[in-house]
Amino acid sequence: MARKKGGMAIKKKKESKRNLQFFWGVFIAISLVFGMLVIMDDSQPATVQDFEYNNFSFYYEYDRSVGFNFVKTSIGGVEFSFFSEPYRAEPFDVGYELLEKMVYSEKTYLSLDAESQMSDIIGLASFSLQTDFLAIGKPFEMAVLKESEMTSYPVITCKNASEDVFVVTMEEGEETEFISEENCLRIVSEYPFGFLEMRDVILYKMLGIIE
């Protein structure tokens, strides 16, 4: 029995290592993407430009460390960062009921395609979404949409959703849109930046910036 126990421990260590390697690879890919942006846009100054939207004050702030011009606002003394402007979120609709289920369900999975050609940006969008929800005390369980040698996370799709388990997926598609299914929200995009825009839509909606 002792040998069997030890074997299981070794297997778990290998699985943890594979998961760590997968997300470390995503982190490196994200760093390279932002590194290229810094090289391409190094002449851009660290400007602050104000604008108003639905009675909320926003400003742009260029972050040279990642090479990106973030959209920011402060609500109740807390600063929030976005990848895109709030008006870009207007065409997309995600219901409050689904967002409430994401927050209040017993368990919420965030499932990705680990082998997608957009995996670097999907990784960044999912990390941002995780951080947003963790800030309100709602952790996400990581999963993958299909088996992959890159990670040993469980395979979770909308078919696994239930009253107690909410599933969020990020996947490539022919359009950029939210697809609502029972106890499941599919975030679909036809281009990489779309995943970041969709993350923004969720945060804008939760903060009451867009209806």
Side-chain angles (χ1 to χ4, degrees), residues 13-211:
K13 285 182 179 178
K14 287 182 178 179
E15 290 179 351
S16 298
K17 185 177 180 181
R18 283 167 61 193
N19 294 335
L20 182 62
Q21 288 174 337
F22 168 65
F23 280 101
W24 181 245
V26 170
F27 173 78
I28 292 173
I30 292 169
S31 300
L32 289 173
V33 169
F34 279 133
M36 287 300 295
L37 287 172
V38 171
I39 293 171
M40 293 168 62
D41 209 3
D42 190 50
S43 60
Q44 192 168 357
T47 58
V48 175
Q49 180 181 350
D50 296 329
F51 70 94
E52 297 286 325
Y53 181 89
N54 282 354
N55 297 319
F56 289 90
S57 297
F58 289 86
Y59 61 94
Y60 294 102
E61 187 172 274
Y62 185 73
D63 188 335
R64 289 186 181 277
S65 65
V66 295
F68 198 85
N69 210 27
F70 287 97
V71 179
K72 296 189 175 186
T73 189
S74 182
I75 301 175
V78 179
E79 186 181 72
F80 296 92
S81 297
F82 303 88
F83 296 95
S84 58
E85 296 85 351
Y87 70 84
R88 292 182 179 274
E90 292 176 353
F92 303 105
D93 184 36
V94 55
Y96 282 112
E97 184 180 345
L98 277 177
L99 295 181
E100 287 180 352
K101 286 185 177 181
M102 287 172 67
V103 175
Y104 296 113
S105 62
E106 187 174 320
K107 181 177 289 188
T108 299
Y109 281 99
L110 180 55
S111 191
L112 318 175
D113 183 356
E115 298 182 355
S116 167
Q117 293 183 350
M118 304 183 193
S119 61
D120 51 350
I121 298 298
I122 291 176
L124 175 58
S126 65
F127 176 78
S128 298
L129 197 59
Q130 280 182 291
T131 304
D132 298 334
F133 277 81
L134 195 59
I136 59 172
K138 179 62 181 181
F140 283 170
E141 298 283 338
M142 292 304 302
V144 289
L145 292 171
K146 55 187 177 182
E147 289 187 6
S148 171
E149 295 182 356
M150 299 176 66
T151 176
S152 61
Y153 283 113
V155 175
I156 299 290
T157 68
C158 287
K159 293 180 180 179
N160 302 105
S162 67
E163 287 296 324
D164 298 323
V165 177
F166 193 86
V167 178
V168 182
T169 70
M170 286 189 174
E171 54 195 281
E172 293 181 48
E174 295 181 357
E175 294 185 28
T176 300
E177 60 183 339
F178 290 110
I179 300 177
S180 301
E181 299 185 14
E182 191 172 2
N183 300 307
C184 183
L185 177 64
R186 295 172 58 199
I187 301 173
V188 183
S189 182
E190 59 185 322
Y191 57 94
F193 193 73
F195 291 104
L196 302 178
E197 289 181 318
M198 302 301 257
R199 170 268 181 187
D200 286 351
V201 172
I202 292 174
L203 188 55
Y204 280 133
K205 190 91 170 183
M206 289 181 65
L207 293 173
I209 295 172
I210 62 172
E211 296 296 327

